[in-house]
Amino acid sequence: MKYNSKADEIGRKGEAIAARKMRAQGWKLRDVREDEAYQSKDIDYVAFGEFGIKNVEVKTNAPKYTANVFIELTHTNSLTKEVEDGWFKYCAADLMVFVVGDVAHAVPRRALVDYYKKYTSEIKYTDFSSGYALPVSALKKLPGYMTI
């Protein structure tokens, strides 16, 4: 579901960067971004490689927020103005790929969930979403982290 065309444009650019980098690593990708069954679980790609099969979600930082990745707990739907669950609450991906600039940071979703349980400082990040800003430096320390 689309909420904001600027956000969609940023997201599509990040997805293209991540897909290019994953393929360069030898990963085979099935693009499921338009498949409603996967959309409802916030999954962009099914990746195949020596690691097995992984459901992958790509998140892209807006250019001015390059020091952190954002763990979205809620957001306000720009069409309905209703507060809805953010991706962190419903995403079913195995692997999260955060594109920051031209770098793709990958981390198992389980590692993010475990980190979140320890993180206590909720912040208001924008006018339409709330959650946690996780410094890229902290992301790099999570179990299973890799740059792709």
Side-chain angles (χ1 to χ4, degrees), residues 1 15 19 59 61 82 84 87 96 104 136:
M1 179 178 290
E15 290 164 359
K59 297 295 178 191
N61 273 23
E82 293 181 21
E84 300 175 343
W87 66 261
M96 300 300 303
V136 170

Side-chain angles (χ1 to χ4, degrees), residues 101-144:
D102 196 35
V103 179
H105 304 275
V107 65
R109 185 176 184 285
R110 172 83 333 226
L112 280 178
V113 171
D114 292 345
Y115 183 86
Y116 166 78
K117 289 176 181 177
K118 296 177 186 176
Y119 202 171
T120 59
S121 176
E122 186 168 352
I123 62 164
K124 184 81 171 169
Y125 191 73
T126 69
D127 292 337
F128 58 89
S129 63
S130 66
Y132 295 91
L134 177 61
V136 170
S137 59
L139 187 74
K140 290 178 177 181
K141 295 176 184 174
L142 295 179

Side-chain angles (χ1 to χ4, degrees), residues 2-146:
K2 296 191 180 207
Y3 297 110
N4 179 320
S5 62
K6 182 65 174 172
D8 289 340
E9 180 183 336
I10 291 168
R12 288 293 181 177
K13 286 180 181 178
E15 290 164 359
I17 290 168
R20 185 178 70 247
K21 290 180 176 286
M22 288 185 283
R23 287 185 176 109
Q25 294 285 326
W27 301 14
K28 305 292 182 212
L29 298 180
R30 186 169 120 214
D31 185 341
V32 295
R33 293 176 293 175
E34 303 301 324
D35 184 319
E36 289 182 20
Y38 286 94
Q39 283 179 346
S40 67
K41 297 174 186 173
D42 210 14
I43 296 169
D44 293 322
Y45 300 101
V46 177
F48 307 86
E50 57 188 49
F51 49 79
I53 300 172
K54 300 281 184 199
N55 291 321
V56 179
E57 173 57 14
V58 178
K59 297 295 178 191
T60 309
N61 273 23
K64 65 181 178 179
Y65 300 117
T66 59
N68 301 307
V69 297
F70 186 58
I71 309 301
E72 181 189 62
L73 299 177
T74 66
H75 72 271
T76 301
N77 183 313
S78 62
L79 300 174
T80 66
K81 307 300 182 203
E82 293 181 21
V83 175
E84 300 175 343
D85 282 345
W87 66 261
F88 189 71
K89 293 184 179 178
Y90 62 85
C91 180
D94 304 307
L95 188 67
M96 300 300 303
V97 177
F98 295 96
V99 176
V100 181
D102 196 35
V103 179
H105 304 275
V107 65
R109 185 176 184 285
R110 172 83 333 226
L112 280 178
V113 171
D114 292 345
Y115 183 86
Y116 166 78
K117 289 176 181 177
K118 296 177 186 176
Y119 202 171
T120 59
S121 176
E122 186 168 352
I123 62 164
K124 184 81 171 169
Y125 191 73
T126 69
D127 292 337
F128 58 89
S129 63
S130 66
Y132 295 91
L134 177 61
V136 170
S137 59
L139 187 74
K140 290 178 177 181
K141 295 176 184 174
L142 295 179
Y145 169 85
M146 64 182 133

